[in-house]
Amino acid sequence: TLCISLVAYDKIASKRGWQRTWEKTFRVLSFLGGFPGLLLAFLVMNHKTGYKKQTFRRQVFASFVFGILLKLFLIRTVLRTDLHLLPKESIGRTMGAQDDAG
């Protein structure tokens, strides 16, 4: 809803000559995972959809993809680190316990 509200404000501001929302703000929101809301708002409100804004749309999408990849990398790193912190004996016992139960 934040993304949709900002797009709506920027659409109104563009028509009335008010201070606009920085494009960097939209890229940061996309990076944080707001891309679906931004895309929906841009399409529904027909805002920043013109030919001149193709570069901006690509940057927003790239920010979203980069954010997803970074989050996946961090999750993988944390899970890998957590598994390495467990003593090897407990990992073997846990796996053995599952085999005996099945």
Side-chain angles (χ1 to χ4, degrees):
T1 57
L2 173 66
C3 295
I4 295 170
S5 301
L6 277 175
V7 172
Y9 170 80
D10 194 53
K11 177 80 174 182
I12 293 168
S14 70
K15 290 185 176 191
R16 297 189 180 177
W18 298 347
Q19 183 174 354
R20 304 283 305 274
T21 305
W22 292 348
E23 289 186 349
K24 184 194 317 188
T25 304
F26 293 123
R27 288 192 295 269
V28 168
L29 288 173
S30 180
F31 174 79
L32 295 174
F35 177 75
L38 287 172
L39 180 64
L40 177 69
F42 287 149
L43 293 175
V44 168
M45 296 178 203
N46 196 27
H47 189 53
K48 296 191 180 285
T49 55
Y51 179 76
K52 294 179 181 179
K53 291 297 178 178
Q54 279 185 340
T55 303
F56 167 73
R57 289 194 313 270
R58 286 184 188 132
Q59 290 171 348
V60 168
F61 181 71
S63 297
F64 174 68
V65 170
F66 181 69
I68 293 294
L69 292 175
L70 180 64
K71 290 169 193 160
L72 289 173
F73 172 76
L74 292 173
I75 289 169
R76 183 174 177 240
T77 303
V78 167
L79 289 177
R80 183 176 285 175
T81 303
D82 286 347
L83 288 176
H84 287 299
L85 292 176
L86 291 174
K88 288 184 180 179
E89 298 106 25
S90 68
I91 293 173
R93 271 189 261 136
T94 304
M95 290 181 165
Q98 290 174 352
D99 292 337
D100 293 338

